[in-house]
Amino acid sequence: MKKIALIAIMTLITGNVSVMAQKLNKKEMKKVLFVVTSNDKLGNTGEKTGFWSEEFAAPYYELLDKGIEITIASPLGGQPPIDPKSADPASATEDTKRFDADTTLQEKLKNTHKLSTIDQKDYDAVFYPGGHGPLWDLVEDKNSIALIESFYNHKKPVAFVCHAPAVLKNVKVNGEFLVKGKKVTGFTNEEEEAVGLTKVVPFLLEDALTQNGAKFSKIGNWQPYAVEDGLLITGQNPASSKLVAGKLLEKLNK
């Protein structure tokens, strides 16, 4: 009888420890918010755009595979548009192939949270993938602007890749542009010229950030390049996605 009682007590203790450990692990798990565009129109060209799948997939899996919990939000909520050019088999990478086959993620993308419902206090960092889509909605989106300002003011990392640094155009901290005096990079004028869209985009990212006082740097077209300046992390182009994710992970693990 004593043996049965002892086993019951030990089982109860083990169960409680397991529940406590699960709660502790959940509490310690870092949470990153991904913000994607809701815009699918490439200016007045009649062509489609959206977010660039490589710039989403590579950082997503880089973070997910390291135990980071990821939430996805967009201005309109629901299914965000994917730039059809990024879904071209010629642009495929191991990450985009995994993305295409990931039914769990596809379902998650269908149900992105509406940006207006997001509070930075629920996350440890924010990441913006690029694509041309953000140039027409997230750059001027008041919720996005306020969110980035809130993350930054609460000493949390803010990361962007390719065209996504453009969303910093109207972001201010203490009355000054966030990028003023900061080292940044992003999709360059030369790269925009190379894809033939300099006359289509509402503004050139490199010019806009430079005009706001950023210390813009770059390397050759399509080469991996990322820079960080304090809490701010930016990457030049799609090839820079994993570099940005890596720098973000380093900050989250400090």
Side-chain angles (χ1 to χ4, degrees), residues 141-180:
D141 188 284
K142 291 181 180 179
N143 293 310
S144 176
I145 293 167
L147 192 66
I148 295 168
E149 290 172 352
S150 186
F151 268 93
Y152 195 85
N153 286 329
H154 284 84
K155 312 301 182 190
K156 296 178 180 180
V158 292
F160 313 82
V161 69
C162 200
H163 280 91
V167 306
L168 293 165
K169 183 174 181 278
N170 297 308
V171 176
K172 292 185 176 182
V173 173
N174 299 323
E176 297 277 10
F177 288 114
L178 187 154
V179 299
K180 185 177 181 181

Side-chain angles (χ1 to χ4, degrees), residues 19-160:
V19 169
M20 287 173 66
Q22 287 175 13
K23 286 182 178 178
L24 188 61
N25 286 337
K26 193 162 186 180
K27 189 177 179 182
E28 289 178 346
M29 183 181 286
K30 297 291 185 179
K31 298 178 180 180
V32 174
L33 175 71
F34 272 45
V35 179
V36 293
T37 182
S38 290
N39 173 59
D40 69 349
K41 295 179 178 64
L42 189 64
N44 298 317
T45 64
E47 294 182 32
K48 294 294 187 182
T49 187
F51 71 85
W52 196 262
S53 59
E54 162 68 13
E55 296 165 25
F56 177 96
Y60 184 89
Y61 292 121
E62 188 75 8
L63 296 172
L64 185 75
D65 292 346
K66 299 296 191 301
I68 304 297
E69 185 178 326
I70 300 169
T71 298
I72 311 169
S74 61
L76 299 180
Q79 178 69 57
I82 300 172
D83 190 308
K85 289 187 177 69
S86 72
D88 189 312
S91 303
T93 65
E94 290 306 310
D95 290 309
T96 60
K97 289 175 186 175
R98 181 178 173 185
F99 171 85
D100 291 338
D102 191 339
T103 54
T104 300
L105 176 54
Q106 297 307 325
E107 191 61 31
K108 193 173 179 180
L109 272 170
K110 287 179 185 175
N111 300 284
T112 65
H113 297 262
K114 202 167 183 179
L115 202 52
S116 59
T117 67
I118 297 294
D119 192 322
Q120 63 77 24
K121 70 179 176 58
D122 298 322
Y123 306 94
D124 300 291
V126 66
F127 170 76
Y128 282 67
H132 283 89
L135 297 175
W136 282 275
D137 65 349
L138 288 170
V139 172
E140 305 293 339
D141 188 284
K142 291 181 180 179
N143 293 310
S144 176
I145 293 167
L147 192 66
I148 295 168
E149 290 172 352
S150 186
F151 268 93
Y152 195 85
N153 286 329
H154 284 84
K155 312 301 182 190
K156 296 178 180 180
V158 292
F160 313 82

Side-chain angles (χ1 to χ4, degrees), residues 54 161-162 185-186 188 191 217-227 234-244 247:
E54 162 68 13
V161 69
C162 200
T185 190
T188 67
E191 286 169 323
S217 62
K218 56 190 174 181
I219 60 173
N221 290 0
W222 323 121
Q223 299 303 305
Y225 182 60
V227 297
T234 50
Q236 182 173 318
N237 47 39
S240 311
S241 301
K242 281 195 176 184
L243 288 179
V244 172
K247 288 179 179 296

Side-chain angles (χ1 to χ4, degrees), residues 3-25:
K3 188 175 181 180
I4 293 172
L6 183 61
I7 291 171
I9 291 169
M10 291 300 293
T11 301
L12 185 62
I13 291 171
T14 303
N16 286 340
V17 169
S18 178
V19 169
M20 287 173 66
Q22 287 175 13
K23 286 182 178 178
L24 188 61
N25 286 337

